[in-house]
Amino acid sequence: PGPGSNPSERPRMQARPPRRLDDFVTGSCNRLAHAAAMEMVQSAGEAFNPLVIHAPIGLGKTHLLEGIGHALRARRPGLRVIHVTAEAFTNGFLDAMRSGSLNAFRSKYRGAGALIVDDIHFLAAKRATQDEFLHTFNALIAEGAAIVLAADQHPKRIAKLTDELATRFLGGMVVKLEAPDLQTRRAILKSKAAARGVDVPEAVIHYVAEHLRAS
């Protein structure tokens, strides 16, 4: 297998290029989160660490995470960036326990220069995986590695997340993505249409933005 063949280390939806921070349409609903993402790229965790982005599905968490990962790789070519889902981390941990390869698993994650984990709420109620992630988190923080996490709600509200992890997650910056207002929804639609080379009538843009508000 070639580089990046490990599914736990590949960004999601590998068939398309990663989304970028420059493509993220901002409005009052998400400007703080976008600014925090840009600062994380600039400082690689020195300004605050970790960065936790939370919101319901469909509001741009994964876009920001992919954008941060892409920008970190471009800005710091020697930095080892690992971008995974919490489910992939969990599956990798369980496989490592079954196969007796925990040392290799730990070396991989604790040797990262930046760790980006989507859907961190997936760890809830999985005590052994939470303990392993806590040790990984502590090791990375001690080494000055950047950590970026995304969840479907504020860390304090994730049921069955250990107090130790919740406390660690609150030690940096926690930002929320709000649902976009009408103006931002229109801007998002226009941006997506332009990216695909599609000419969408203004009336259609307005109709869709007016009626589709959640995701």
Side-chain angles (χ1 to χ4, degrees):
S5 60
N6 185 339
S8 69
E9 199 164 344
R10 290 200 304 265
R12 289 198 276 179
M13 298 182 69
Q14 189 70 10
R16 58 160 176 76
R19 288 167 282 196
R20 304 187 181 195
L21 293 178
D22 290 345
D23 302 328
F24 191 81
V25 178
T26 59
S28 58
C29 55
N30 56 26
R31 192 168 287 114
L32 176 59
H34 182 261
M38 296 292 288
E39 182 58 40
M40 175 57 77
V41 170
Q42 294 289 331
S43 70
E46 292 182 7
F48 47 80
N49 206 19
L51 169 61
V52 181
I53 302 170
H54 68 98
I57 189 170
L59 298 186
K61 299 187 302 296
T62 300
H63 187 149
L64 287 177
L65 264 58
E66 287 184 13
I68 291 170
H70 178 271
L72 281 172
R73 291 184 181 98
R75 186 177 181 85
R76 302 167 185 259
L79 191 70
R80 183 163 180 258
V81 179
I82 296 180
H83 180 180
V84 296
T85 63
E87 181 178 9
F89 181 91
T90 300
N91 291 340
F93 172 58
L94 296 177
D95 288 344
M97 285 200 299
R98 283 191 289 263
S99 63
S101 58
L102 271 175
N103 286 340
F105 175 86
R106 288 167 177 164
S107 177
K108 167 188 167 182
Y109 280 99
R110 299 179 193 184
L115 178 62
I116 302 173
V117 185
D118 205 351
D119 299 331
I120 198 67
H121 51 273
F122 184 84
L123 298 183
K126 299 173 179 65
R127 185 56 192 249
T129 308
Q130 289 190 59
D131 288 344
E132 180 66 26
F133 190 80
L134 175 63
H135 292 308
T136 297
F137 185 100
N138 289 340
L140 290 174
I141 290 292
E143 291 296 322
I147 300 176
V148 183
L149 310 171
D152 62 358
Q153 56 191 314
H154 193 283
K156 284 185 175 179
R157 296 187 176 182
I158 299 177
K160 297 184 179 180
L161 186 71
T162 64
D163 291 340
E164 293 88 350
L165 272 183
T167 299
R168 298 301 191 282
F169 294 170
L170 297 173
M173 175 171 284
V174 180
V175 292
K176 182 180 181 181
L177 290 170
E178 303 283 355
D181 57 22
L182 177 61
Q183 181 179 354
T184 306
R185 295 198 300 273
R186 287 167 57 89
I188 291 170
L189 289 168
K190 289 181 179 181
S191 174
K192 290 184 177 295
R196 291 162 175 75
V198 179
D199 184 16
V200 182
E202 191 68 26
V204 174
I205 291 285
H206 182 79
Y207 180 87
V208 175
E210 180 67 34
H211 290 82
L212 301 180
R213 304 184 181 192
S215 171

